[in-house]
Amino acid sequence: EDQVTQSPEALRLQEGESSSLNCSYTVSGLRGLFWYRQDPGKGPEFLFTLYSAGEEKEKERLKATLTKKESFLHITAPKPEDSATYLCAVQAGQGAQKLVFGQGTRLTINP
Amino acid sequence: DAGVTQSPTHLIKTRGQHVTLRCSPISGHKSVSWYQQVLGQGPQFIFQYYEKEERGRGNFPDRFSARQFPNYSSELNVNALLLGDSALYLCASTLASGTVSYEQYFGPGTRLTVT
């Protein structure tokens, strides 16, 4: 069964303090790995899709990387507005556009 | 352009009742998926529909059902509500279906509370 584990569960940083969030996955036939940002009470906001090991994507202060077993979301010089829960999800196998999510990392950036 | 829309925003129901949630995908998207998100957890896949046909089903009881209309909008129905059905119900819109991995865009969700 496809599994996604995110760590840490929660992370508190000072403004400007860079760090990384981890997403480890066990799947049969990865088709894509997705990162989302979710604010409290709202739907997930799409950030990145990664398709193969070695791929990297950047958006503002965020950079996502992918290996054969895990993905990292690097946050450089974060600001308070980057505070949110970051969700990782995988899509694997054939057929349905089903995403399997991790439990998320709750990130808090203190000013 | 409008994103994914869902209605209602919030809903309070009593145990044993029935509920219908609605979703309109992004214009041009033909596939809709439904997810359940319990507080503190990641979303869990319930259904995917493409061209009015069910393309995938998650591990949910038969009390959960869905359908897709010719305009690609969708409804999620839940019968005989239980307290454990209280959650944020999310709809995701995708361009198509098949072996290609498409980006999924989520709506704001419907917060269902069962008392």
Side-chain angles (χ1 to χ4, degrees):
Chain A
E1 188 175 322
D2 300 334
Q3 280 195 313
V4 178
T5 303
Q6 291 187 245
S7 61
E9 287 188 13
L11 181 63
R12 190 178 292 269
L13 300 172
Q14 289 298 122
E15 184 173 0
E17 181 184 2
S18 301
S19 188
S20 297
L21 313 182
N22 178 262
C23 171
S24 298
Y25 62 90
T26 305
V27 299
S28 182
L30 180 72
R31 290 158 58 192
L33 185 139
F34 299 75
W35 281 98
Y36 288 87
R37 169 196 170 125
Q38 187 174 28
D39 293 307
K42 298 189 176 181
E45 174 189 343
F46 172 78
L47 294 173
F48 304 108
T49 308
L50 302 168
Y51 295 102
S52 57
E55 190 175 359
E56 299 182 352
K57 288 193 177 174
E58 286 187 68
K59 179 181 179 180
E60 296 181 357
R61 295 177 292 281
L62 300 176
K63 178 180 176 180
T65 62
L66 181 64
T67 72
K68 288 187 178 179
K69 292 183 178 181
E70 57 190 350
S71 176
F72 291 93
L73 184 66
H74 307 278
I75 302 177
T76 302
K79 299 181 178 182
E81 54 261 42
D82 294 322
S83 297
T85 294
Y86 289 85
L87 295 165
C88 171
V90 297
Q91 197 170 74
Q94 303 291 323
Q97 298 282 321
K98 168 186 173 181
L99 292 178
V100 176
F101 281 86
Q103 79 279 18
T105 293
R106 190 171 63 255
L107 177 66
T108 304
I109 308 298
N110 295 316
Chain B
D1 283 342
V4 179
T5 59
Q6 292 186 243
S7 63
T9 305
H10 296 91
L11 205 51
I12 300 175
K13 290 286 189 178
T14 305
R15 275 177 299 176
Q17 286 188 319
H18 162 270
V19 68
T20 298
L21 310 181
R22 294 177 175 82
C23 169
S24 291
I26 292 170
S27 177
H29 284 194
K30 299 182 178 180
S31 177
V32 168
S33 296
W34 287 94
Y35 291 81
Q36 180 196 65
Q37 186 175 26
V38 174
L39 198 62
Q41 296 182 18
Q44 277 201 300
F45 176 77
I46 309 176
F47 288 111
Q48 184 212 354
Y49 275 78
Y50 174 65
E51 295 283 10
K52 296 184 293 180
E53 290 188 3
E54 182 183 303
R55 292 301 181 96
R57 173 185 284 254
N59 188 24
F60 280 81
D62 291 343
R63 299 184 295 107
F64 289 76
S65 64
R67 55 179 176 166
Q68 186 177 35
F69 300 99
N71 66 353
Y72 305 111
S73 67
S74 177
E75 282 183 357
L76 175 70
N77 295 283
V78 187
N79 292 323
L81 285 167
L82 302 174
L83 295 179
D85 295 331
S86 296
L88 182 67
Y89 287 85
L90 296 162
C91 172
S93 169
T94 312
L95 187 63
S97 189
T99 56
V100 175
S101 182
Y102 293 98
E103 294 163 358
Q104 296 193 26
Y105 297 91
F106 285 83
T110 294
R111 170 67 63 187
L112 173 64
T113 302
V114 182
T115 63

